[in-house]
Amino acid sequence: MTTDTGERLEVRRAVAADPATIFGLLCDPEGHVAIDSSGMLMSAEGDRVTAAGDTFVVHMDRDALNDFDLGLYDVTVTIETFVPDREISWKVLGQIRPQIGHVYGYRLEPIDEGTMVTSFYDWSSIDPVWRESGIFPVISEAALRATLGILARTVAPGRPRPQIDPEN
């Protein structure tokens, strides 16, 4: 299932792993690099996040997007929402001004034989300078969906997707 409000994308996937396993990966800075489908995240440094307000650094390269050649650069990921085994979200803070203000995150819902994982990308509160630039969304629905596939492969290698009720 996909939700697109024009300022927010959400994609869902059933994953054959428990919420704690998935949440653990999402709290690890290198976990973000491991599941990134965009090709922009090169490496990360910092401690595992344990609360809202925690930060870590991601070393980036936009070359994979073939849009803006920024070379290698760093961003700081600042955790906005932290509900263990349920939800995590973050803002990306870089050197450009004004800061963009978009939010990425995951919601985790236990289901039979695993977790329903919702990945979201929200640019509803971005700075007007960036809204007027017309570059959003930077990350496509397909990239969010691909990242969920990589996440599933990482936390539940070789395990089939749990079956879900199509009415949910």
Side-chain angles (χ1 to χ4, degrees):
M1 183 177 121
T2 301
T3 303
D4 180 354
T5 67
E7 294 185 322
R8 181 182 176 101
L9 287 174
E10 290 192 4
V11 297
R12 295 175 53 185
R13 180 184 175 119
V15 176
D18 63 273
T21 299
I22 296 167
F23 197 79
L25 175 75
L26 298 171
C27 290
D28 179 356
E30 282 295 333
H32 288 252
V33 177
I35 66 171
D36 168 53
S37 72
S38 74
M40 290 190 301
L41 283 68
M42 300 286 101
S43 64
E45 59 185 79
D47 295 329
R48 294 179 66 80
V49 297
T50 60
D54 285 357
T55 64
F56 59 89
V57 173
V58 178
H59 307 294
M60 308 280 291
D61 185 348
R62 287 183 73 95
D63 188 58
L65 296 184
N66 196 30
D67 59 358
F68 302 104
D69 186 5
L70 302 176
L72 298 175
Y73 63 100
D74 291 345
V75 297
T76 299
V77 170
T78 301
I79 302 301
E80 296 279 306
T81 306
F82 190 93
V83 181
D85 304 340
R86 296 296 289 180
E87 184 171 358
I88 188 168
S89 69
W90 61 91
K91 283 189 175 177
V92 177
L93 306 172
Q95 296 180 6
I96 59 173
R97 298 293 182 264
Q99 291 291 324
I100 297 173
H102 50 290
V103 177
Y104 295 91
Y106 292 88
R107 285 190 317 275
L108 309 175
E109 177 186 342
I111 59 172
D112 289 342
E113 301 179 25
T115 305
M116 179 59 68
V117 181
T118 302
S119 173
F120 60 89
Y121 172 39
D122 188 321
W123 61 98
S124 62
S125 298
I126 62 174
D127 188 277
V129 167
W130 298 109
R131 185 173 310 287
E132 293 165 11
S133 73
I135 63 170
F136 281 85
V138 173
I139 302 299
S140 68
E141 172 193 335
L144 287 182
R145 190 167 299 289
T147 295
L148 284 180
I150 297 167
L151 181 146
R153 171 177 81 204
T154 301
V155 297
R159 296 195 344 232
R161 232 175 325 133
Q163 296 301 307
I164 58 168
D165 180 354
E167 297 296 315
N168 291 333

